[in-house]
Amino acid sequence: MGSENDSVLYRTKKERLIYGNHFGDIFDFSKESNFPHKFYNLLNDLDVCSKNIIISCLYRIKVLNSCEDEIIDIFTEEEKEKMACIKRDLKCNIMHLAENVWAYKGYMLPIKDFRGEIFLEKMGISCIEDRDRCAHKDMIDVGAYIGDSALVLSELTSGNVYAFDPVEGNIEYMKQTALMNQRKIIPMNMAVSDKDGEDYLSVGEAVFNSTIEEIGERKYVEKVPIKTVTIDQFVSKYGLAIGLLKIHAEGAEQKVLEGARNTIIEQAPVIIVEMNHTENDFYNIKPMIEEMRSDYGFKVFKPMNGLICLGLKLIAEVKRDLS
């Protein structure tokens, strides 16, 4: 009879689709390889824990790309136990209260979609050292889905959380989430990009994979026109002071960052950004932010979600002055 931890063995199908044709130069330190330059730039100034996360992700992608097995026993026993605990917690504590009302430990959502990464691990916000910098400022949540992440972020501030999502159905759920939890979440049905105007939204087979920047290996069911806005334009128009910027844009993260350049330079918000959707994002999002402001420090957060790289986040904040 298998143990409970057997249920969190790694299943390769989901991430093989994304990473199977990428990261071909992992741990190639030859003179002809560009890997050492990218690798050391990414690890530069990271703390030991963050470096270990990066190295572990790369090693596991290398293993993924070198085998054809459908299931790999790749996680440590400690990781498997943490993942099993998260599964048990969610299974035991999610309750159906009424039609379109689901509850988990004081949080309420209009559908049964409570994720450990959001409600237990809190997207790595424990890594933020100076929460006072954003405690009374507004926040921007790009890729807010049904308002679950905005719900957690709203606990960090007395200001508003402007929650952007390009999928109209998600906005309706988000309105219900804000109302049920009595939180200052402002739903915004627009895509965030590096330019104001219009673009096309590629609608994913799973609605939360919809994006304005297609990832080659993913499948999309249709393209629909969508309004786009930059963070800089939005912040300037409404005169906002931004304390935190969270970005989960399914491959469009660098476009969002470019459109937030002035806000980042002038206001230095805490940034929580997904860095795992493409190899380019993995290596280049950190240098991109460093180019905007040299005084940012960085940590890497990896949720215990049963995957080797998906969900990987870079957390950036201005370094504390310890003088």
Side-chain angles (χ1 to χ4, degrees):
M1 185 175 178
S3 69
E4 183 178 28
N5 285 359
D6 290 341
S7 67
V8 290
L9 292 174
Y10 175 63
R11 285 157 175 77
T12 63
K13 182 177 180 180
K14 185 170 184 178
E15 287 182 294
R16 194 191 302 281
L17 178 68
I18 300 171
Y19 303 120
N21 297 319
H22 301 288
F23 293 89
D25 60 353
I26 295 177
F27 305 126
D28 178 359
F29 288 91
S30 65
K31 291 182 180 179
E32 296 78 19
S33 173
N34 191 39
F35 174 77
H37 174 74
K38 297 184 296 184
F39 180 67
Y40 290 125
N41 273 355
L42 179 55
L43 264 59
N44 183 46
D45 286 338
L46 291 180
D47 62 285
V48 172
C49 180
S50 296
K51 288 178 181 178
N52 287 340
I53 291 171
I54 291 294
I55 293 169
S56 176
C57 285
L58 287 172
Y59 170 74
R60 288 169 175 179
I61 292 172
K62 185 181 178 82
V63 172
L64 173 68
N65 289 343
S66 64
C67 77
E68 297 181 356
D69 297 339
E70 294 183 4
I71 299 177
I72 305 174
D73 189 2
I74 199 170
F75 297 119
T76 67
E77 290 304 311
E78 181 183 6
E79 288 173 318
K80 286 190 279 188
E81 179 56 36
K82 287 180 179 178
M83 287 186 277
C85 285
I86 289 171
K87 286 188 174 184
R88 286 196 301 269
D89 187 285
L90 292 172
K91 182 179 179 180
C92 295
N93 291 293
I94 295 174
M95 296 178 288
H96 191 194
L97 301 182
E99 185 177 2
N100 300 324
V101 183
W102 294 83
Y104 170 77
K105 292 185 175 180
Y107 298 104
M108 288 183 284
L109 292 179
I111 60 175
K112 186 184 179 182
D113 198 357
F114 292 93
R115 304 181 186 192
E117 175 184 345
I118 303 293
F119 292 100
L120 278 166
E121 299 180 281
K122 303 290 182 77
M123 299 171 288
I125 59 178
S126 62
C127 297
I128 301 172
E129 294 183 6
D130 189 4
R131 297 192 195 183
D132 290 342
R133 288 182 60 90
C134 54
H136 304 291
K137 296 180 180 179
D138 294 321
M139 297 182 177
I140 291 179
D141 184 349
V142 178
Y145 184 39
I146 61 173
D148 50 350
S149 52
L151 187 55
V152 171
L153 292 176
S154 69
E155 297 174 346
L156 302 180
T157 183
S158 59
N160 294 322
V161 179
Y162 293 92
F164 288 82
D165 199 279
V167 179
E168 188 171 351
N170 289 347
I171 297 297
E172 293 306 311
Y173 283 137
M174 202 185 302
K175 290 176 181 177
Q176 294 176 49
T177 297
L179 180 62
M180 285 190 292
N181 295 277
Q182 293 295 294
R183 298 292 175 84
K184 297 166 70 174
I185 298 170
I186 315 298
M188 306 297 299
N189 189 202
M190 288 182 282
V192 180
S193 186
D194 57 350
K195 64 181 185 300
D196 301 323
E198 295 184 351
D199 204 336
Y200 284 92
L201 178 71
S202 296
V203 180
E205 289 185 312
V207 69
F208 46 76
N209 288 335
S210 301
T211 181
I212 58 170
E213 187 74 11
E214 289 189 3
I215 299 172
E217 292 75 17
R218 283 198 172 143
K219 294 182 181 180
Y220 302 93
V221 296
E222 64 175 332
K223 283 191 173 184
V224 295
I226 187 75
K227 290 182 179 179
T228 62
V229 66
T230 66
I231 296 297
D232 287 343
Q233 189 274 342
F234 185 78
V235 167
S236 175
K237 180 177 180 180
Y238 295 102
L240 304 178
I242 301 300
L244 184 145
L245 172 60
K246 171 254 171 182
I247 307 171
H248 185 171
E250 295 296 329
E253 280 76 8
Q254 291 188 58
K255 282 188 172 182
V256 175
L257 284 168
E258 185 57 44
R261 174 175 289 271
N262 292 338
T263 302
I264 292 170
I265 291 172
E266 295 170 6
Q267 299 195 29
V270 174
I271 303 171
I272 303 175
V273 56
E274 298 275 320
M275 60 180 291
N276 59 267
H277 290 107
T278 67
E279 183 177 358
N280 185 286
D281 286 347
F282 188 89
Y283 289 118
N284 292 326
I285 283 179
K286 178 173 172 278
M288 184 179 187
I289 297 172
E290 288 174 319
E291 182 269 326
M292 295 180 190
R293 283 193 68 123
S294 61
D295 56 350
Y296 267 109
F298 300 88
K299 291 183 180 179
V300 176
F301 169 73
K302 173 65 181 69
M304 292 292 168
N305 58 3
L307 299 164
I308 60 176
C309 200
L310 287 177
L312 191 69
K313 292 173 176 57
L314 186 69
I315 299 176
E317 65 178 315
V318 170
K319 299 172 187 175
R320 278 184 168 180
D321 183 2
L322 301 177
S323 59

PDB file of all heavy atoms in Angstrom, residues 279-303:
ATOM      1  N   GLU A 279      11.845  30.700 -21.250  1.00  0.00           N
ATOM      2  CA  GLU A 279      13.258  30.753 -20.892  1.00  0.00           C
ATOM      3  C   GLU A 279      13.744  32.203 -20.854  1.00  0.00           C
ATOM      4  O   GLU A 279      14.543  32.590 -19.999  1.00  0.00           O
ATOM      5  CB  GLU A 279      14.074  29.948 -21.904  1.00  0.00           C
ATOM      6  CG  GLU A 279      15.556  29.874 -21.585  1.00  0.00           C
ATOM      7  CD  GLU A 279      16.319  29.002 -22.557  1.00  0.00           C
ATOM      8  OE1 GLU A 279      15.706  28.412 -23.473  1.00  0.00           O
ATOM      9  OE2 GLU A 279      17.557  28.901 -22.408  1.00  0.00           O
ATOM     10  N   ASN A 280      13.241  33.024 -21.766  1.00  0.00           N
ATOM     11  CA  ASN A 280      13.607  34.437 -21.803  1.00  0.00           C
ATOM     12  C   ASN A 280      13.212  35.133 -20.508  1.00  0.00           C
ATOM     13  O   ASN A 280      13.986  35.908 -19.927  1.00  0.00           O
ATOM     14  CB  ASN A 280      12.931  35.102 -23.013  1.00  0.00           C
ATOM     15  CG  ASN A 280      13.350  36.539 -23.193  1.00  0.00           C
ATOM     16  OD1 ASN A 280      12.942  37.422 -22.442  1.00  0.00           O
ATOM     17  ND2 ASN A 280      14.166  36.790 -24.204  1.00  0.00           N
ATOM     18  N   ASP A 281      12.004  34.860 -20.020  1.00  0.00           N
ATOM     19  CA  ASP A 281      11.556  35.441 -18.753  1.00  0.00           C
ATOM     20  C   ASP A 281      12.432  34.966 -17.593  1.00  0.00           C
ATOM     21  O   ASP A 281      12.797  35.748 -16.711  1.00  0.00           O
ATOM     22  CB  ASP A 281      10.106  35.053 -18.464  1.00  0.00           C
ATOM     23  CG  ASP A 281       9.103  35.801 -19.325  1.00  0.00           C
ATOM     24  OD1 ASP A 281       9.494  36.784 -19.978  1.00  0.00           O
ATOM     25  OD2 ASP A 281       7.927  35.398 -19.342  1.00  0.00           O
ATOM     26  N   PHE A 282      12.750  33.690 -17.582  1.00  0.00           N
ATOM     27  CA  PHE A 282      13.517  33.097 -16.490  1.00  0.00           C
ATOM     28  C   PHE A 282      14.834  33.844 -16.279  1.00  0.00           C
ATOM     29  O   PHE A 282      15.217  34.167 -15.152  1.00  0.00           O
ATOM     30  CB  PHE A 282      13.778  31.622 -16.813  1.00  0.00           C
ATOM     31  CG  PHE A 282      14.386  30.833 -15.693  1.00  0.00           C
ATOM     32  CD1 PHE A 282      13.584  30.191 -14.758  1.00  0.00           C
ATOM     33  CD2 PHE A 282      15.760  30.708 -15.572  1.00  0.00           C
ATOM     34  CE1 PHE A 282      14.134  29.445 -13.724  1.00  0.00           C
ATOM     35  CE2 PHE A 282      16.326  29.966 -14.548  1.00  0.00           C
ATOM     36  CZ  PHE A 282      15.515  29.333 -13.622  1.00  0.00           C
ATOM     37  N   TYR A 283      15.525  34.130 -17.373  1.00  0.00           N
ATOM     38  CA  TYR A 283      16.840  34.751 -17.267  1.00  0.00           C
ATOM     39  C   TYR A 283      16.819  36.283 -17.299  1.00  0.00           C
ATOM     40  O   TYR A 283      17.724  36.926 -16.761  1.00  0.00           O
ATOM     41  CB  TYR A 283      17.746  34.261 -18.395  1.00  0.00           C
ATOM     42  CG  TYR A 283      18.183  32.822 -18.261  1.00  0.00           C
ATOM     43  CD1 TYR A 283      17.832  31.873 -19.223  1.00  0.00           C
ATOM     44  CD2 TYR A 283      18.942  32.399 -17.172  1.00  0.00           C
ATOM     45  CE1 TYR A 283      18.236  30.558 -19.111  1.00  0.00           C
ATOM     46  CE2 TYR A 283      19.351  31.080 -17.053  1.00  0.00           C
ATOM     47  CZ  TYR A 283      18.994  30.159 -18.027  1.00  0.00           C
ATOM     48  OH  TYR A 283      19.399  28.855 -17.903  1.00  0.00           O
ATOM     49  N   ASN A 284      15.798  36.879 -17.925  1.00  0.00           N
ATOM     50  CA  ASN A 284      15.897  38.306 -18.252  1.00  0.00           C
ATOM     51  C   ASN A 284      15.009  39.242 -17.443  1.00  0.00           C
ATOM     52  O   ASN A 284      15.212  40.466 -17.487  1.00  0.00           O
ATOM     53  CB  ASN A 284      15.605  38.516 -19.743  1.00  0.00           C
ATOM     54  CG  ASN A 284      16.696  37.934 -20.615  1.00  0.00           C
ATOM     55  OD1 ASN A 284      17.866  37.948 -20.241  1.00  0.00           O
ATOM     56  ND2 ASN A 284      16.326  37.413 -21.779  1.00  0.00           N
ATOM     57  N   ILE A 285      14.012  38.731 -16.712  1.00  0.00           N
ATOM     58  CA  ILE A 285      13.161  39.641 -15.939  1.00  0.00           C
ATOM     59  C   ILE A 285      13.957  40.337 -14.846  1.00  0.00           C
ATOM     60  O   ILE A 285      13.818  41.549 -14.630  1.00  0.00           O
ATOM     61  CB  ILE A 285      11.934  38.895 -15.378  1.00  0.00           C
ATOM     62  CG1 ILE A 285      10.911  38.702 -16.501  1.00  0.00           C
ATOM     63  CG2 ILE A 285      11.311  39.655 -14.220  1.00  0.00           C
ATOM     64  CD1 ILE A 285       9.662  37.950 -16.089  1.00  0.00           C
ATOM     65  N   LYS A 286      14.802  39.608 -14.138  1.00  0.00           N
ATOM     66  CA  LYS A 286      15.606  40.225 -13.078  1.00  0.00           C
ATOM     67  C   LYS A 286      16.530  41.319 -13.635  1.00  0.00           C
ATOM     68  O   LYS A 286      16.520  42.457 -13.114  1.00  0.00           O
ATOM     69  CB  LYS A 286      16.402  39.170 -12.326  1.00  0.00           C
ATOM     70  CG  LYS A 286      17.323  39.731 -11.224  1.00  0.00           C
ATOM     71  CD  LYS A 286      17.940  38.600 -10.416  1.00  0.00           C
ATOM     72  CE  LYS A 286      19.002  39.105  -9.444  1.00  0.00           C
ATOM     73  NZ  LYS A 286      20.303  39.310 -10.098  1.00  0.00           N
ATOM     74  N   PRO A 287      17.328  41.062 -14.686  1.00  0.00           N
ATOM     75  CA  PRO A 287      18.147  42.140 -15.249  1.00  0.00           C
ATOM     76  C   PRO A 287      17.329  43.322 -15.761  1.00  0.00           C
ATOM     77  O   PRO A 287      17.784  44.466 -15.701  1.00  0.00           O
ATOM     78  CB  PRO A 287      18.901  41.451 -16.395  1.00  0.00           C
ATOM     79  CG  PRO A 287      18.929  40.016 -16.027  1.00  0.00           C
ATOM     80  CD  PRO A 287      17.636  39.762 -15.308  1.00  0.00           C
ATOM     81  N   MET A 288      16.128  43.058 -16.238  1.00  0.00           N
ATOM     82  CA  MET A 288      15.264  44.134 -16.726  1.00  0.00           C
ATOM     83  C   MET A 288      14.909  45.091 -15.593  1.00  0.00           C
ATOM     84  O   MET A 288      14.957  46.325 -15.750  1.00  0.00           O
ATOM     85  CB  MET A 288      13.996  43.534 -17.343  1.00  0.00           C
ATOM     86  CG  MET A 288      13.056  44.537 -17.968  1.00  0.00           C
ATOM     87  SD  MET A 288      11.606  43.691 -18.677  1.00  0.00           S
ATOM     88  CE  MET A 288      10.806  45.090 -19.509  1.00  0.00           C
ATOM     89  N   ILE A 289      14.539  44.538 -14.441  1.00  0.00           N
ATOM     90  CA  ILE A 289      14.208  45.385 -13.294  1.00  0.00           C
ATOM     91  C   ILE A 289      15.462  46.081 -12.770  1.00  0.00           C
ATOM     92  O   ILE A 289      15.419  47.272 -12.409  1.00  0.00           O
ATOM     93  CB  ILE A 289      13.540  44.551 -12.188  1.00  0.00           C
ATOM     94  CG1 ILE A 289      12.208  43.967 -12.694  1.00  0.00           C
ATOM     95  CG2 ILE A 289      13.285  45.403 -10.940  1.00  0.00           C
ATOM     96  CD1 ILE A 289      11.564  42.977 -11.739  1.00  0.00           C
ATOM     97  N   GLU A 290      16.583  45.389 -12.751  1.00  0.00           N
ATOM     98  CA  GLU A 290      17.847  45.984 -12.292  1.00  0.00           C
ATOM     99  C   GLU A 290      18.244  47.171 -13.154  1.00  0.00           C
ATOM    100  O   GLU A 290      18.801  48.156 -12.647  1.00  0.00           O
ATOM    101  CB  GLU A 290      18.956  44.932 -12.310  1.00  0.00           C
ATOM    102  CG  GLU A 290      18.832  43.893 -11.225  1.00  0.00           C
ATOM    103  CD  GLU A 290      19.855  42.781 -11.352  1.00  0.00           C
ATOM    104  OE1 GLU A 290      20.112  42.326 -12.490  1.00  0.00           O
ATOM    105  OE2 GLU A 290      20.401  42.359 -10.318  1.00  0.00           O
ATOM    106  N   GLU A 291      17.945  47.089 -14.446  1.00  0.00           N
ATOM    107  CA  GLU A 291      18.272  48.201 -15.346  1.00  0.00           C
ATOM    108  C   GLU A 291      17.425  49.429 -15.039  1.00  0.00           C
ATOM    109  O   GLU A 291      17.860  50.562 -15.203  1.00  0.00           O
ATOM    110  CB  GLU A 291      18.067  47.747 -16.800  1.00  0.00           C
ATOM    111  CG  GLU A 291      18.421  48.786 -17.855  1.00  0.00           C
ATOM    112  CD  GLU A 291      17.233  49.649 -18.246  1.00  0.00           C
ATOM    113  OE1 GLU A 291      16.100  49.120 -18.262  1.00  0.00           O
ATOM    114  OE2 GLU A 291      17.434  50.850 -18.514  1.00  0.00           O
ATOM    115  N   MET A 292      16.194  49.198 -14.575  1.00  0.00           N
ATOM    116  CA  MET A 292      15.313  50.315 -14.240  1.00  0.00           C
ATOM    117  C   MET A 292      15.741  50.997 -12.945  1.00  0.00           C
ATOM    118  O   MET A 292      15.755  52.228 -12.849  1.00  0.00           O
ATOM    119  CB  MET A 292      13.862  49.826 -14.118  1.00  0.00           C
ATOM    120  CG  MET A 292      13.265  49.321 -15.412  1.00  0.00           C
ATOM    121  SD  MET A 292      11.545  48.776 -15.158  1.00  0.00           S
ATOM    122  CE  MET A 292      11.205  47.979 -16.737  1.00  0.00           C
ATOM    123  N   ARG A 293      16.069  50.188 -11.930  1.00  0.00           N
ATOM    124  CA  ARG A 293      16.536  50.722 -10.649  1.00  0.00           C
ATOM    125  C   ARG A 293      17.602  49.791 -10.087  1.00  0.00           C
ATOM    126  O   ARG A 293      17.356  48.598  -9.889  1.00  0.00           O
ATOM    127  CB  ARG A 293      15.379  50.824  -9.638  1.00  0.00           C
ATOM    128  CG  ARG A 293      14.447  52.000  -9.876  1.00  0.00           C
ATOM    129  CD  ARG A 293      13.552  52.204  -8.659  1.00  0.00           C
ATOM    130  NE  ARG A 293      14.304  52.649  -7.495  1.00  0.00           N
ATOM    131  CZ  ARG A 293      14.058  53.765  -6.820  1.00  0.00           C
ATOM    132  NH1 ARG A 293      13.079  54.571  -7.205  1.00  0.00           N
ATOM    133  NH2 ARG A 293      14.772  54.087  -5.762  1.00  0.00           N
ATOM    134  N   SER A 294      18.760  50.342  -9.793  1.00  0.00           N
ATOM    135  CA  SER A 294      19.866  49.523  -9.308  1.00  0.00           C
ATOM    136  C   SER A 294      19.774  49.215  -7.819  1.00  0.00           C
ATOM    137  O   SER A 294      20.561  48.415  -7.308  1.00  0.00           O
ATOM    138  CB  SER A 294      21.198  50.234  -9.596  1.00  0.00           C
ATOM    139  OG  SER A 294      21.244  51.489  -8.918  1.00  0.00           O
ATOM    140  N   ASP A 295      18.813  49.838  -7.126  1.00  0.00           N
ATOM    141  CA  ASP A 295      18.730  49.640  -5.672  1.00  0.00           C
ATOM    142  C   ASP A 295      17.705  48.588  -5.260  1.00  0.00           C
ATOM    143  O   ASP A 295      17.388  48.455  -4.080  1.00  0.00           O
ATOM    144  CB  ASP A 295      18.430  50.963  -4.964  1.00  0.00           C
ATOM    145  CG  ASP A 295      17.157  51.646  -5.457  1.00  0.00           C
ATOM    146  OD1 ASP A 295      16.595  51.208  -6.477  1.00  0.00           O
ATOM    147  OD2 ASP A 295      16.740  52.634  -4.817  1.00  0.00           O
ATOM    148  N   TYR A 296      17.179  47.831  -6.220  1.00  0.00           N
ATOM    149  CA  TYR A 296      16.286  46.731  -5.878  1.00  0.00           C
ATOM    150  C   TYR A 296      17.092  45.523  -5.404  1.00  0.00           C
ATOM    151  O   TYR A 296      18.154  45.206  -5.943  1.00  0.00           O
ATOM    152  CB  TYR A 296      15.446  46.305  -7.088  1.00  0.00           C
ATOM    153  CG  TYR A 296      14.099  46.986  -7.197  1.00  0.00           C
ATOM    154  CD1 TYR A 296      13.845  47.926  -8.191  1.00  0.00           C
ATOM    155  CD2 TYR A 296      13.063  46.668  -6.330  1.00  0.00           C
ATOM    156  CE1 TYR A 296      12.604  48.539  -8.313  1.00  0.00           C
ATOM    157  CE2 TYR A 296      11.821  47.273  -6.434  1.00  0.00           C
ATOM    158  CZ  TYR A 296      11.600  48.214  -7.427  1.00  0.00           C
ATOM    159  OH  TYR A 296      10.367  48.811  -7.528  1.00  0.00           O
ATOM    160  N   GLY A 297      16.574  44.851  -4.399  1.00  0.00           N
ATOM    161  CA  GLY A 297      17.067  43.544  -4.001  1.00  0.00           C
ATOM    162  C   GLY A 297      16.043  42.499  -4.402  1.00  0.00           C
ATOM    163  O   GLY A 297      14.861  42.814  -4.607  1.00  0.00           O
ATOM    164  N   PHE A 298      16.469  41.232  -4.491  1.00  0.00           N
ATOM    165  CA  PHE A 298      15.594  40.201  -5.053  1.00  0.00           C
ATOM    166  C   PHE A 298      15.601  38.935  -4.211  1.00  0.00           C
ATOM    167  O   PHE A 298      16.615  38.558  -3.623  1.00  0.00           O
ATOM    168  CB  PHE A 298      16.040  39.843  -6.476  1.00  0.00           C
ATOM    169  CG  PHE A 298      16.015  40.989  -7.434  1.00  0.00           C
ATOM    170  CD1 PHE A 298      17.127  41.824  -7.569  1.00  0.00           C
ATOM    171  CD2 PHE A 298      14.895  41.268  -8.195  1.00  0.00           C
ATOM    172  CE1 PHE A 298      17.108  42.889  -8.449  1.00  0.00           C
ATOM    173  CE2 PHE A 298      14.871  42.335  -9.075  1.00  0.00           C
ATOM    174  CZ  PHE A 298      15.981  43.151  -9.202  1.00  0.00           C
ATOM    175  N   LYS A 299      14.436  38.279  -4.179  1.00  0.00           N
ATOM    176  CA  LYS A 299      14.309  36.933  -3.650  1.00  0.00           C
ATOM    177  C   LYS A 299      13.470  36.120  -4.627  1.00  0.00           C
ATOM    178  O   LYS A 299      12.687  36.677  -5.403  1.00  0.00           O
ATOM    179  CB  LYS A 299      13.656  36.943  -2.262  1.00  0.00           C
ATOM    180  CG  LYS A 299      14.529  37.558  -1.182  1.00  0.00           C
ATOM    181  CD  LYS A 299      13.860  37.482   0.181  1.00  0.00           C
ATOM    182  CE  LYS A 299      14.756  38.116   1.254  1.00  0.00           C
ATOM    183  NZ  LYS A 299      14.121  38.082   2.591  1.00  0.00           N
ATOM    184  N   VAL A 300      13.643  34.816  -4.583  1.00  0.00           N
ATOM    185  CA  VAL A 300      12.884  33.914  -5.447  1.00  0.00           C
ATOM    186  C   VAL A 300      12.003  33.041  -4.571  1.00  0.00           C
ATOM    187  O   VAL A 300      12.443  32.529  -3.538  1.00  0.00           O
ATOM    188  CB  VAL A 300      13.827  33.051  -6.308  1.00  0.00           C
ATOM    189  CG1 VAL A 300      13.023  32.050  -7.135  1.00  0.00           C
ATOM    190  CG2 VAL A 300      14.676  33.937  -7.227  1.00  0.00           C
ATOM    191  N   PHE A 301      10.742  32.893  -4.984  1.00  0.00           N
ATOM    192  CA  PHE A 301       9.780  32.070  -4.241  1.00  0.00           C
ATOM    193  C   PHE A 301       9.230  30.992  -5.164  1.00  0.00           C
ATOM    194  O   PHE A 301       8.814  31.271  -6.285  1.00  0.00           O
ATOM    195  CB  PHE A 301       8.631  32.935  -3.715  1.00  0.00           C
ATOM    196  CG  PHE A 301       7.484  32.124  -3.170  1.00  0.00           C
ATOM    197  CD1 PHE A 301       7.594  31.460  -1.954  1.00  0.00           C
ATOM    198  CD2 PHE A 301       6.295  32.005  -3.884  1.00  0.00           C
ATOM    199  CE1 PHE A 301       6.552  30.708  -1.451  1.00  0.00           C
ATOM    200  CE2 PHE A 301       5.236  31.256  -3.393  1.00  0.00           C
ATOM    201  CZ  PHE A 301       5.368  30.604  -2.169  1.00  0.00           C
ATOM    202  N   LYS A 302       9.225  29.753  -4.689  1.00  0.00           N
ATOM    203  CA  LYS A 302       8.656  28.628  -5.449  1.00  0.00           C
ATOM    204  C   LYS A 302       7.577  27.960  -4.596  1.00  0.00           C
ATOM    205  O   LYS A 302       7.862  27.413  -3.533  1.00  0.00           O
ATOM    206  CB  LYS A 302       9.749  27.612  -5.795  1.00  0.00           C
ATOM    207  CG  LYS A 302       9.223  26.322  -6.444  1.00  0.00           C
ATOM    208  CD  LYS A 302       8.617  26.621  -7.807  1.00  0.00           C
ATOM    209  CE  LYS A 302       8.064  25.339  -8.444  1.00  0.00           C
ATOM    210  NZ  LYS A 302       6.861  24.818  -7.749  1.00  0.00           N
ATOM    211  N   PRO A 303       6.319  28.010  -5.033  1.00  0.00           N
ATOM    212  CA  PRO A 303       5.250  27.376  -4.261  1.00  0.00           C
ATOM    213  C   PRO A 303       5.349  25.852  -4.319  1.00  0.00           C
ATOM    214  O   PRO A 303       5.877  25.280  -5.269  1.00  0.00           O
ATOM    215  CB  PRO A 303       3.972  27.861  -4.955  1.00  0.00           C
ATOM    216  CG  PRO A 303       4.387  28.145  -6.358  1.00  0.00           C
ATOM    217  CD  PRO A 303       5.799  28.655  -6.260  1.00  0.00           C
TER     218      PRO A 303
END
